[in-house]
Amino acid sequence: MTTETFQTFEELGLNENILKALQEMGFEKPSPIQAQGIPAVLQGSDVIGQAQTGTGKTAAFGIPVLERIDPSVNAVQALILCPTRELAVQVSEELGRLSKFMRGVRIEAIYGGDSIDRQIRSLKKGVHIVVGTPGRVMDHMERRTLKFDEVRMMVLDEADEMLDMGFREDIESILADMPEDRQTILFSATMSKPIMSITKRFLNDPTLIKVVRNELTNQNIEQVYFEVKPQAKVEVMTRLIDMYHIKSLLVFCNTKRKVDEIVEDLQLRGYASEGIHGDLRQQQRSNVMSKFKAGVTTILVATDVAARGIDVSGLDGVINYDIPMDEEYYVHRIGRTGRAGMSGKAFSLVARDEKYRLKSIEGYTKVKIEKGVIPSFEDIVGVRKARFVENISNSIKDSNDEELYNDVLEMLHHSGFSTEQIVGAMAKQIMGVQKNEYSDSNLAWEERRSDRREGGNDRFGDDRRGRGDRREGGRFGERREGSRFGDRGGDRGGDRYAPRGERGDRGERGDRGERRQSTPEPGMTRLFLSLGRKDHIMPKDIVGAIAGEANIPGKTIGAIDIYDKFTFVDVPERDARAVLRAMDGNTIKGKPVQIDIAK
Ligand code: ADP
Ligand code: MG
């Protein structure tokens, strides 16, 4: 590599006007990808730049593009391709800010969904830099409303995302149509085979700039994990939001389905949240994003792939609702918080069977993720009280039309309430803290011996498996009998689960012994699962998976009969559809499961 690291923008020898703009934008010093990327691009060679989301890749190519534009030549001199309309707009806006003090530079964003006639009119006026999505750029090329004979620089921004979105062919035909002697620059958060093959075909002896991960996770990000039962994750999430007063939050999860479920759950609890995933139309995406940016929504829930197509950074926090399947995703996810000198929080909610993935992330990032303590109900009441008192005090200090409301107290006094009672009731209503079925002791999973030592469950050996199960049955019995699930206490559940060990035994002999119950209880539907004892699944695995995936309370799940090759499980009739939807093709303990209504 021929590049050195520069500490300041001045040292990069940039144009005065750009330096002035950078100052106004509040960029104090170049980020690592900028420090290395800007000089490389300025040198004129082709460049491949790899750095995670939110590390400032836009300015890394944007500044040199602006440096090399000649505004006196009335032709498109640079073409920047971006995966989405949103990113195209965002890049052109950033270029606009960077070129604020430069004279006569015209930048145009062109993307699908916008009127092509309007775009043609602006293009006719003359444009120096085009920022566009591949589809729409192709469109203009075919209509000959865009001419690229004078293009000197061609940038592929967020290349991995563009390929993920299926733009490969478009990109290739655009590249093939550009003047031979152009400079080609490719930026991407990740490098994959298809990207490498594009670079081989279309880049000429490129300089490779890769910002190493260690620098990325060493940012100002507080990384903490919480051991949480799958079904308690939303509850714990809301407690963390309350506790740390998180006002802009990105929640990540692994599947689209989960996005919808989490959003619904959060909304029911009164949190302003919306989801982003691949199924949304562009218009819906833009809506969701503008509400989030305006602060109308404070929580955005997204899958990894969907989140890569959007521009959000510098958030108060990121919550990993589940642990990503790929270590690199973790780095991407948490990189959305704690930027530019602000500190951010990255919380990971770890179910028991996700713990090993967390460990491998620690190994990969070489950063220790601290274990956190889930805030208790009292903690939450405490912080909400403190905030309430502060808000009321501010409201009293600022108020100027209080006489409009003076008679409210009098009216309530008249009804026989004391001032204390009135204030108490109002505080409760405004603070909105409510006890729900999640008591403090029902959120975390407990560490058991087998978590520390592998294979702990197998020490009973084959002939005693039944005993092993009885033990499990007992555990669930215990857990459900107590008042741990809160007021709806599990008297029914306790009884139902306690004999499960026995049923497990019976299940094991199921082929010859008669079943204790051949039809489910009224109100329950019996489901068939394609996993059984041979797959080493236990009742707790099934409860955990169904409760967690279908988002129904574990205690409502009824009888579970595990046979060698399959299992019957009873779930409430009204939840049966949801369970089928959530579980089919899903996995339990890493094993794919088919699920159906039992015949
Ligand atoms: P990427 O393309 O790598 O995901 P962006 O270019 O979108 O990242 O930058 C992310 C955010 O960081 C933007 O809001 C941008 O304005 C800001 N930013 C970029 N470079 C700097 C810098 N040197 N100092 C402070 N903020 C920066
Ligand atoms: Mg970018």
Side-chain angles (χ1 to χ4, degrees):
M1 239 197 302
T2 56
T3 49
E4 337 158 26
T5 302
F6 294 86
Q7 292 306 310
T8 65
F9 285 112
E10 283 78 10
E11 282 171 18
L12 292 168
L14 303 179
N15 173 323
E16 293 271 306
N17 291 324
I18 291 181
L19 289 176
K20 203 165 147 194
L22 285 167
Q23 202 162 20
E24 196 176 285
M25 290 162 77
F27 289 16
E28 282 171 2
K29 60 184 203 130
S31 69
I33 190 73
Q34 292 163 357
Q36 297 177 46
I38 292 172
V41 180
L42 282 175
Q43 269 176 19
S45 57
D46 286 359
V47 172
I48 302 172
Q50 182 186 3
Q52 77 168 120
T53 303
T55 49
K57 295 192 287 296
T58 314
F61 64 77
I63 292 173
V65 163
L66 289 169
E67 286 278 342
R68 307 195 67 191
I69 289 297
D70 181 354
S72 67
V73 176
N74 191 7
V76 178
Q77 296 164 49
L79 170 64
I80 300 168
L81 292 183
C82 296
T84 63
R85 164 196 183 137
E86 242 232 333
L87 286 169
V89 169
Q90 196 237 324
V91 166
S92 74
E93 284 173 355
E94 181 115 327
L95 290 173
R97 286 189 290 270
L98 287 166
S99 62
K100 180 172 170 191
F101 301 104
M102 293 172 72
R103 295 204 125 190
V105 179
R106 287 187 301 273
I107 303 157
E108 186 73 26
I110 59 170
Y111 40 77
D114 189 26
S115 145
I116 195 151
D117 293 331
R118 194 200 61 74
Q119 285 172 359
I120 293 171
R121 279 197 300 276
S122 336
L123 291 173
K124 277 204 177 126
K125 287 185 208 148
V127 171
H128 302 113
I129 304 173
V130 168
V131 187
T133 51
R136 186 50 71 99
V137 168
M138 285 283 288
D139 225 2
H140 282 287
M141 286 170 74
E142 278 157 17
R143 290 165 185 253
R144 303 191 182 279
T145 42
L146 254 179
K147 293 204 184 61
F148 291 126
D149 327 336
E150 300 294 323
V151 166
R152 287 188 247 157
M153 299 173 87
M154 160 93 211
V155 181
L156 304 174
D157 187 23
E158 315 280 355
D160 49 354
E161 177 77 8
M162 283 200 285
L163 292 182
D164 281 355
M165 295 181 69
F167 283 132
R168 181 181 180 142
E169 282 183 3
D170 287 353
I171 293 171
E172 291 183 347
S173 34
I174 294 169
L175 278 165
D177 253 28
M178 289 296 133
E180 281 280 330
D181 59 352
R182 62 160 199 274
Q183 178 184 13
T184 310
I185 300 147
L186 178 147
F187 275 89
S188 188
T190 56
M191 281 299 151
S192 60
K193 273 222 185 94
I195 293 181
M196 295 319 278
S197 88
I198 284 197
T199 62
K200 275 215 191 77
R201 250 181 84 191
F202 295 101
L203 273 65
N204 187 5
D205 190 18
T207 307
L208 177 68
I209 293 165
K210 182 171 171 158
V211 172
V212 288
R213 290 167 206 116
N214 295 352
E215 292 176 51
L216 304 172
T217 49
N218 272 342
Q219 292 171 348
N220 245 339
I221 303 173
E222 197 185 321
Q223 300 180 52
V224 186
Y225 77 91
F226 300 87
E227 293 179 346
V228 185
K229 292 184 183 175
Q231 66 273 27
K233 283 189 170 181
V234 173
E235 169 71 17
V236 170
M237 193 154 79
T238 59
R239 289 189 181 196
L240 293 171
I241 295 167
D242 286 350
M243 190 70 194
Y244 297 100
H245 210 11
I246 300 176
K247 292 204 217 69
S248 60
L249 170 72
L250 194 53
V251 176
F252 281 100
C253 56
N254 293 338
T255 64
K256 288 183 210 169
R257 198 188 55 227
K258 267 259 125 58
V259 170
D260 291 334
E261 287 172 13
I262 296 168
V263 167
E264 194 183 324
D265 202 343
L266 284 171
Q267 286 176 347
L268 283 174
R269 290 160 184 262
Y271 290 80
S273 71
E274 292 209 69
I276 282 267
H277 57 55
D279 292 350
L280 294 190
R281 281 178 297 115
Q282 186 63 55
Q283 182 61 39
Q284 296 171 303
R285 267 164 95 95
S286 310
N287 267 340
V288 170
M289 290 313 300
S290 32
K291 279 194 268 175
F292 185 68
K293 282 182 182 157
V296 178
T297 342
T298 55
I299 306 172
L300 208 56
V301 185
T303 55
D304 295 282
V305 172
R308 281 215 263 139
I310 58 176
D311 159 52
V312 282
S313 56
L315 302 167
D316 291 349
V318 164
I319 290 186
N320 295 308
Y321 181 89
D322 45 26
I323 307 303
M325 309 307 287
D326 181 334
E327 292 94 354
E328 195 142 344
Y329 279 172
Y330 178 86
V331 178
H332 283 266
R333 287 178 174 192
I334 71 166
R336 299 295 187 123
T337 183
R339 197 155 306 117
M342 291 182 298
S343 77
K345 297 188 169 27
F347 294 144
S348 298
L349 308 183
V350 186
R352 189 197 296 280
D353 59 5
E354 293 176 311
K355 189 71 183 277
Y356 75 98
R357 292 217 296 269
L358 190 80
K359 290 285 158 213
S360 78
I361 287 168
E362 281 188 324
Y364 178 83
T365 59
K366 312 263 187 304
V367 173
K368 183 160 169 45
I369 306 173
E370 299 294 332
K371 178 172 171 174
V373 179
I374 298 169
S376 70
F377 185 71
E378 280 197 350
D379 291 338
I380 300 303
V381 176
V383 292
R384 288 224 187 169
K385 268 189 199 161
R387 257 167 241 148
F388 175 74
V389 168
E390 194 188 322
N391 284 344
I392 295 288
S393 317
N394 289 341
S395 172
I396 294 173
K397 280 184 224 145
D398 299 345
S399 147
N400 45 22
D401 50 6
E402 68 274 27
E403 62 280 357
L404 276 176
Y405 306 101
N406 276 347
D407 55 344
V408 173
L409 187 60
E410 213 171 302
M411 285 156 77
L412 285 161
H413 277 159
H414 219 75
S415 309
F417 300 116
S418 72
T419 306
E420 280 76 18
Q421 280 176 313
I422 296 164
V423 172
M426 285 172 67
K428 186 178 154 207
Q429 217 174 60
I430 295 170
M431 285 193 282
V433 264
Q434 259 166 12
K435 266 204 190 308
N436 55 23
E437 73 265 38
Y438 296 98
S439 63
D440 291 343
S441 56
N442 193 40
L443 302 170
W445 41 272
E446 300 136 42
E447 195 165 7
R448 53 177 187 202
R449 247 168 293 169
S450 58
D451 288 330
R452 266 171 270 146
R453 228 155 38 89
E454 267 186 39
N457 273 335
D458 280 334
R459 66 186 178 283
F460 287 106
D462 266 357
D463 52 339
R464 298 176 70 181
R465 275 269 168 74
R467 272 260 294 273
D469 264 13
R470 188 173 302 130
R471 213 170 47 99
E472 287 301 333
R475 279 172 64 89
F476 269 90
E478 252 166 62
R479 211 176 274 171
R480 267 141 239 276
E481 267 156 29
S483 55
R484 288 186 180 186
F485 271 90
D487 32 3
R488 291 217 277 149
D491 43 352
R492 188 177 86 109
D495 286 334
R496 290 191 62 94
Y497 276 87
R500 195 198 280 158
E502 276 167 47
R503 261 183 274 138
D505 282 351
R506 197 184 301 264
E508 212 172 14
R509 306 186 300 261
D511 298 333
R512 43 199 161 92
E514 98 274 29
R515 298 263 306 282
R516 196 178 65 123
Q517 239 180 311
S518 55
T519 50
E521 268 184 31
M524 302 293 278
T525 298
R526 177 153 301 168
L527 302 179
F528 167 91
L529 267 73
S530 64
L531 296 176
R533 195 166 302 282
K534 68 165 173 37
D535 306 294
H536 306 289
I537 57 163
M538 299 201 187
K540 65 175 168 49
D541 302 319
I542 295 170
V543 173
I546 292 181
E549 292 294 318
N551 214 6
I552 65 171
K555 67 184 162 183
T556 62
I557 296 171
I560 297 178
D561 284 322
I562 301 182
Y563 291 75
D564 266 355
K565 300 201 179 94
F566 54 85
T567 299
F568 288 118
V569 53
D570 292 356
V571 299
E573 236 163 36
R574 60 171 190 282
D575 294 327
R577 286 272 139 223
V579 173
L580 289 179
R581 233 180 304 124
M583 292 306 301
D584 203 49
N586 213 322
T587 57
I588 298 182
K589 268 186 123 179
K591 300 197 178 73
V593 62
Q594 245 98 64
I595 183 165
D596 218 330
I597 298 194
K599 294 191 186 80

